[in-house]
Amino acid sequence: MPEESKRNEKQLSKSEETYKLILDNANDLITIINENLIYEYINEKAYFDLLGYNKEDIIGKTPLTPLHPDDVKKATKVLRDGFKYGEGRDEMRLRHKDGHYVWFEHKGKSFIDTNGKRKSIIISRDITERKKAEQKSRESEEKYRLISENANDLIFILDQNLKIKYVNEKPLLNLTGYSVDEIIGKRALNYIHLDDVEMALKIFTEAFNKEGHGTIDARVKHKKGHFIHVEINGSLFHNEKGQPRALLITRDITERKKAENVKNEEYKKLEELSEIKSESLLRASHELKTPLSSVYAASQLLLKNFNQQLGEDGLKLIEIIYRGSQKLRHLIANMLDVSRLKSNELNLNLNEENLVEIINNCINDLKLWADKRNLILKADLPEKSILRVDKIKVEQVLINLLSNAIKYTPPNGKILINLNVSENYIEISIKDTGIGLTKKEKELLFQKFGKSIRVYNGSDIETGGSGLGLYISKEIVELHNGKILVESKGRNMGSTFIVKLPRSI
Ligand code: ADP
């Protein structure tokens, strides 16, 4: 043998050795079969590791033997294609020596060996993990499909062109009368009421653009032409190909809408009624105001200038008329102001006024009543205190607070009125030794009709009242940018109401 040929042979056997080493240590199964479909070579280590077979178990046999019976047909085709077209590929199960099956992806390629014989080399990769993952995803897909098909809500999936890619059949039919085939691939907006399209479009595109989710109320078209009120909850997700999709869960809210309409109508009716009530109250109060002022002024005049002529009985009767008309006057003033407040018409007429004079006027007005109830009404006031206020309104507040102090203080009690000037505020306080307020009662004060329901334990106090006095007083003080506060240590511990008016309004 010539030297060169010897060297070539040596090189060849060297490279064969290398290939053998690779084949023996490969992780995939490597198989060579002949045209009669008989095993001629296997990489034993991989075969043993993956399927538990030795060479003796395999060589000379046909590769169809360890196949799963369901895959034999497929395998025959792949092997034939391998020989016919040069290559073939498919996924099939092979039986492990211990009996269980393992999934492989097989790739076959035919070649001519050194003896001119056609053979096929098959490389088989263990794909158990991939199969498991696929099975898992199939199961979860199946689970979601089941949930969706049995849901009461209508579930849509839209693509980015807002075309319907999926919809659950039963709810679709129940809610809209359409079948799946009729709407798959159509634009979702075709089924939305024209007036709601713009909003729906906005929310769908926003969901796609901002990767968010949102809810809208819209009307969807029934096959018969009428519309159904639905609530659509949309969320964005990405399908297995990474394409954005909108998942829309659509709920029939016809009943809710009906209930809302009834509620709105009832509310409107109530508002109208309340309007009529306020209007009537306002008118009645106006009508009452003038004649009542005459009764009040006349009885006041009689008491002041004709008390000698009236005699004791007459005086008593006139006093009753005077007191009654005085109370009614305050009540009407409060009622008129509540109406004005409601219609935002409570405006202030601000002027420089002497608060001391206002307080004294109020005290004079109520002195007779306080005397009757055997209460001491004492004022500790500076000579004058000028502030820009609405005189009539501030008078109203003070009358309300003083009346309360008189009403809610049992006989022999004391009411003290003070005026203090601090850096920013003028504070008028009205302190009584009356029935006081519990913590709970304090919380309810200043509300409209905040009249507290309580047991007076036989205290000799007056219980009549509209429950509007403190509410209106607070509003008036706040219109002056002031504050009204209350202090009381509890039942029968007296109360102090403080009106704080800012020195610059
Ligand atoms: P009313 O017309 O009932 O007096 P107000 O709004 O003036 O209405 O007062 C609300 C409630 O606050 C009263 O019903 C009373 O229970 C309580 N209240 C007000 N002032 C006093 C006070 N000086 N002492 C004790 N309770 C008071």
Side-chain angles (χ1 to χ4, degrees):
M1 199 185 275
E3 214 30 44
E4 196 182 339
S5 159
K6 255 192 197 164
R7 217 179 27 247
N8 277 347
E9 204 165 86
K10 218 171 162 188
Q11 257 178 6
L12 203 66
S13 67
K14 188 97 187 136
S15 74
E16 247 174 39
E17 241 171 65
T18 313
Y19 283 126
K20 202 170 163 313
L21 202 70
I22 294 171
L23 293 179
D24 284 346
N25 289 291
N27 289 324
D28 296 338
L29 301 180
I30 297 166
T31 315
I32 295 177
I33 56 165
N34 64 24
E35 259 181 316
N36 300 323
L37 305 186
I38 299 294
Y39 279 111
E40 286 200 345
Y41 168 84
I42 61 165
N43 58 342
E44 202 179 359
K45 187 173 178 301
Y47 259 84
F48 186 77
D49 288 349
L50 295 174
L51 292 172
Y53 295 120
N54 294 313
K55 239 184 196 153
E56 301 75 54
D57 300 322
I58 299 284
I59 297 297
K61 311 241 165 85
T62 150
L64 297 177
T65 326
L67 273 170
H68 192 285
D70 292 353
D71 295 341
V72 169
K73 220 162 127 195
K74 215 189 308 179
T76 318
K77 187 176 178 312
V78 171
L79 291 168
R80 293 251 159 79
D81 284 354
F83 283 115
K84 206 162 146 194
Y85 307 115
E87 62 178 37
R89 138 198 316 235
D90 214 331
E91 291 169 4
M92 284 166 278
R93 284 153 289 182
L94 294 179
R95 194 178 55 245
H96 192 280
K97 201 172 175 182
D98 68 12
H100 77 274
Y101 285 92
V102 184
W103 272 103
F104 284 94
E105 184 190 53
H106 307 272
K107 286 184 199 164
K109 212 167 172 54
S110 73
F111 66 99
I112 309 288
D113 77 355
T114 41
N115 301 320
K117 294 253 163 69
R118 184 173 284 275
K119 304 265 165 85
S120 198
I121 178 161
I122 303 160
I123 299 179
S124 310
R125 173 156 297 177
D126 181 354
I127 53 167
T128 312
E129 289 309 316
R130 200 182 83 202
K131 281 283 169 190
K132 268 192 203 155
E134 279 174 9
Q135 175 70 13
K136 240 188 181 165
S137 108
R138 253 202 310 278
E139 274 171 15
S140 95
E141 232 172 65
E142 175 68 9
K143 197 165 70 192
Y144 286 120
R145 197 183 54 76
L146 266 172
I147 294 173
S148 156
E149 276 169 15
N150 289 293
N152 289 324
D153 292 341
L154 183 57
I155 301 172
F156 286 105
I157 293 179
L158 305 187
D159 69 7
Q160 241 175 326
N161 300 318
L162 309 186
K163 281 195 177 152
I164 301 167
K165 302 297 272 183
Y166 167 85
V167 59
N168 52 350
E169 196 175 349
K170 253 191 275 169
L172 177 72
L173 196 69
N174 290 344
L175 198 72
T176 68
Y178 287 107
S179 70
V180 173
D181 293 344
E182 283 172 303
I183 72 158
I184 280 289
K186 306 271 170 59
R187 293 238 317 155
L189 295 179
N190 296 351
Y191 300 93
I192 288 185
H193 193 290
L194 267 184
D195 293 349
D196 299 340
V197 161
E198 200 179 322
M199 165 188 61
L201 183 66
K202 185 169 170 273
I203 206 122
F204 293 161
T205 35
E206 248 174 35
F208 276 117
N209 294 338
K210 295 189 182 152
E211 306 238 331
H213 55 84
T215 306
I216 52 162
D217 283 2
R219 284 156 290 177
V220 297
K221 203 195 284 172
H222 190 277
K223 198 175 172 183
K224 288 186 180 154
H226 61 277
F227 286 90
I228 304 130
H229 277 282
V230 293
E231 182 188 80
I232 307 177
N233 265 294
S235 329
L236 181 81
F237 72 100
H238 289 86
N239 67 7
E240 67 283 2
K241 289 181 199 145
Q243 298 160 321
R245 294 283 182 256
L247 176 77
L248 306 179
I249 308 213
T250 311
R251 176 162 294 183
D252 183 356
I253 53 164
T254 315
E255 290 307 314
R256 196 178 86 193
K257 280 280 164 191
K258 267 191 208 155
E260 266 173 29
N261 284 345
V262 171
K263 205 173 85 188
N264 286 345
E265 267 167 35
E266 289 297 315
Y267 188 71
K268 236 163 95 190
K269 272 190 214 155
L270 277 177
E271 276 215 317
E272 276 168 21
L273 268 176
S274 155
E275 201 66 27
I276 293 170
K277 196 194 75 192
S278 309
E279 187 88 348
S280 320
L281 209 68
L282 188 67
R283 245 186 257 164
S285 310
H286 265 298
E287 292 297 321
L288 284 171
K289 210 175 147 187
T290 323
L292 199 64
S293 292
S294 314
V295 176
Y296 173 74
S299 54
Q300 197 178 38
L301 211 73
L302 281 173
L303 284 179
K304 260 196 194 156
N305 301 336
F306 299 93
N307 51 0
Q308 303 293 334
Q309 289 100 311
L310 283 169
E312 209 178 311
D313 288 345
L315 204 60
K316 262 191 190 149
L317 287 173
I318 299 292
E319 258 176 26
I320 292 171
I321 297 172
Y322 172 70
R323 275 289 314 127
S325 57
Q326 191 185 39
K327 272 192 193 172
L328 279 175
R329 248 166 55 99
H330 297 150
L331 177 64
I332 283 170
N334 282 343
M335 278 182 357
L336 280 172
D337 275 354
V338 170
S339 305
R340 288 185 191 118
L341 256 181
K342 253 197 96 187
S343 47
N344 279 331
E345 281 169 14
L346 189 66
N347 298 318
L348 296 183
N349 176 17
L350 296 175
N351 287 302
E352 301 262 307
E353 307 285 355
N354 181 359
L355 287 176
V356 175
E357 194 186 307
I358 297 177
I359 295 170
N360 281 329
N361 284 344
C362 296
I363 293 176
N364 282 337
D365 240 16
L366 297 174
K367 202 163 171 9
L368 200 69
W369 184 20
D371 287 346
K372 276 266 158 262
R373 289 186 49 73
N374 235 341
L375 298 170
I376 298 169
L377 205 57
K378 206 172 156 262
D380 187 1
L381 305 168
E383 212 162 285
K384 69 177 181 185
S385 170
I386 306 295
L387 196 66
R388 253 179 92 73
V389 291
D390 182 321
K391 184 177 174 190
I392 307 262
K393 295 284 164 236
V394 171
E395 232 169 52
Q396 200 177 328
V397 172
L398 296 176
I399 291 278
N400 281 334
L401 297 180
L402 278 170
S403 309
N404 280 347
I406 297 172
K407 271 196 288 186
Y408 301 114
T409 304
N412 304 321
K414 217 164 133 185
I415 297 162
L416 201 70
I417 303 129
N418 264 310
L419 187 146
N420 289 316
V421 183
S422 71
E423 198 184 326
N424 300 319
Y425 288 96
I426 292 183
E427 286 187 14
I428 304 164
S429 67
I430 296 162
K431 185 178 162 71
D432 64 50
T433 55
I435 58 168
L437 291 151
T438 62
K439 210 168 152 232
K440 193 129 190 239
E441 285 166 352
K442 275 194 276 187
E443 282 165 18
L444 290 173
L445 285 187
F446 305 112
Q447 294 177 14
K448 215 190 301 187
F449 306 114
K451 194 172 161 55
S452 46
I453 299 158
R454 59 188 177 201
V455 181
Y456 292 102
N457 287 338
S459 315
D460 182 4
I461 56 155
E462 294 196 16
T463 50
S466 64
L468 291 176
L470 287 183
Y471 165 71
I472 207 75
S473 302
K474 179 170 181 271
E475 296 293 331
I476 293 173
V477 172
E478 284 176 359
L479 276 177
H480 283 86
N481 290 328
K483 282 184 208 146
I484 185 160
L485 312 169
V486 62
E487 286 166 8
S488 174
K489 293 204 168 83
R491 176 63 67 244
N492 296 324
M493 306 291 276
S495 318
T496 307
F497 284 81
I498 302 151
V499 174
K500 286 176 82 167
L501 295 169
R503 293 184 67 183
S504 54
I505 295 180

